[in-house]
Amino acid sequence: MNDKTLRIALIGAGRIGRMHAQHLVHRVPLGTLAAVVDIAEDAAKNCAQPYQVPWHTQYQAVLEDPEVHAVAICTSSTTHTEIIEAAAAAGKHIFCEKPIDLTLARIDRALQAVKLAGVLLQVGFQRRFDPGFRRIRRAIVTGEIGEPHSVHIISRDPVPPPIDFLRLSGGLFLDMTIHDFDMAYFLLGQPVRRVYAAGAVRVDPAIGEIDDVDTATVVLQCVDGTIVTIENSRKATFGYDQRLEVFGSEGSIRVENVHPNTAVVLSKDGRRMDCPHHFFIERYREAYVAELCAFTGSVLSGGVSPLSGEDARVSVEIGLAASRSLRTGLPVDLEPA
């Protein structure tokens, strides 16, 4: 592609879509917001109007537009593969929020469509672009902490999503923990051999009524023996809890919570800081920008995807295994890749 900027149509004008629109307009030098699509006309209009771009209620309109080079899919998870296949058939490059889908069969069908069309697909696991987590990966790759023995990931949201969202999300493991599964794979580069999950309803009984859990611990054992422990909760009263530690044969490295400021208050009541960032948009603001910059740069340069569909499929496979483990109370072994 010889264009100096990539014209991207946003499909889905919810919270994450509106954030991507803002970044495309103001913070992604090689990207341009070309149009906004949402089945709710008011949502599409309200997102598009401040940037003076057209809006539509059907995504087919932007797929037929030769001035649109790519799409950013920010709709509900159950609609992703349909739009990916249509976009690929139209020759549009694709950025898609996670997960690609909730079933491996539909993911495989979508990936085949992308391959046949020869377009680039990048999946939106923004944590891979966070400077702290990239620093951990560098420590592992360079051998700075020796051979990894164990990984501990803590990921807790400040509040649960609405129940209507959770009904379509695929459950805790495919909506929330999926980021942690992807992070484990990103950091270690090792396939997972065995998955064991335990979960409970400790935050909101309504979550249990839709056959989901809001509190969970998952243990992964990689093929090289590395053990990954993941702790999740849908409610942390002190803010967005995002911590990670890798322990290795020659040392350890960890990332702590990110706070809005570094001020420390000392008084007769003790030592305290302000709470961490409230939620993911604030915590990972720079990572969201970086992933879109990586996407636009890769498409315009003819490079490979910074986060391919095949890589993103791994986390869904682990998530489905975790769901089976939770139902049966038994570890689930994954087939070798």
Side-chain angles (χ1 to χ4, degrees), residues 152-156 176 180 216-218 229-233:
H152 186 197
I153 302 174
I154 295 174
S155 181
R156 301 178 180 126
M176 181 178 175
D180 307 312
T217 296
V218 182
T229 305
I230 300 168
E231 295 182 37
N232 289 146
S233 174

Side-chain angles (χ1 to χ4, degrees), residues 50-301:
Y51 308 121
Q52 298 181 329
V53 298
W55 69 87
H56 309 275
T57 56
Q58 301 297 320
Y59 66 79
Q60 289 83 359
V62 296
L63 300 186
E64 295 167 359
D65 186 348
E67 296 300 312
V68 171
H69 307 141
V71 295
I73 302 172
C74 304
T75 54
S76 62
S77 299
T78 54
T79 65
H80 288 178
T81 49
E82 170 195 327
I83 302 173
I84 287 172
E85 290 175 36
K92 310 299 185 186
H93 299 285
I94 304 159
F95 175 89
C96 182
E97 280 296 334
K98 62 78 191 167
I100 297 175
D101 200 273
L102 305 179
T103 73
L104 295 178
R106 287 200 293 266
I107 290 174
D108 291 340
R109 189 178 67 198
L111 296 187
Q112 181 64 16
V114 168
K115 181 179 180 180
L116 289 174
V119 297
L120 186 144
L121 167 65
Q122 179 180 330
V123 182
F125 284 107
Q126 84 286 350
R127 296 183 192 180
R128 289 194 181 204
F129 297 87
D130 176 76
F133 296 146
R134 292 180 79 85
R135 177 65 180 89
I136 290 181
R137 185 172 187 271
R138 187 165 85 244
I140 294 171
V141 170
T142 62
E144 185 178 358
I145 60 168
E147 181 183 48
H149 288 180
S150 63
V151 180
H152 186 197
I153 302 174
I154 295 174
S155 181
R156 301 178 180 126
D157 288 353
V159 291
I163 292 295
D164 287 344
F165 170 85
L166 291 179
R167 285 194 180 94
L168 300 175
S169 71
L172 182 78
F173 298 134
L174 291 180
D175 166 51
M176 181 178 175
T177 326
I178 192 169
H179 279 288
D180 307 312
F181 298 147
D182 180 71
M183 183 51 54
Y185 184 61
F186 169 66
L187 293 177
L188 299 171
Q190 290 287 331
V192 170
R193 180 173 66 85
R194 178 169 291 173
V195 181
Y196 175 73
V201 179
R202 305 291 291 165
V203 174
D204 184 354
I207 293 176
E209 291 169 6
I210 61 169
D211 198 27
D212 198 2
V213 295
D214 53 40
T215 306
T217 296
V218 182
V219 178
L220 312 177
Q221 187 164 26
C222 298
V223 294
D224 70 345
T226 307
I227 296 173
V228 180
T229 305
I230 300 168
E231 295 182 37
N232 289 146
S233 174
R234 287 289 193 184
K235 184 178 180 181
T237 58
F238 49 86
Y240 196 36
D241 194 7
Q242 297 284 288
R243 291 173 281 158
L244 192 153
E245 180 185 38
V246 179
F247 174 76
S249 59
E250 301 298 329
S252 68
I253 183 169
R254 68 175 181 241
V255 168
E256 298 288 353
N257 282 322
V258 177
H259 297 252
N261 60 71
T262 58
V264 177
V265 179
L266 301 174
S267 72
K268 62 180 178 59
D269 298 320
R271 181 184 187 273
R272 66 183 187 277
M273 296 179 65
D274 288 344
C275 288
H277 281 299
H278 175 66
F279 217 168
F280 59 92
I281 287 181
E282 297 87 0
R283 166 62 177 85
Y284 291 112
R285 188 179 306 278
E286 298 307 314
Y288 281 116
V289 174
E291 70 176 356
L292 283 179
C293 287
F295 173 67
T296 56
S298 295
V299 172
L300 292 172
S301 68

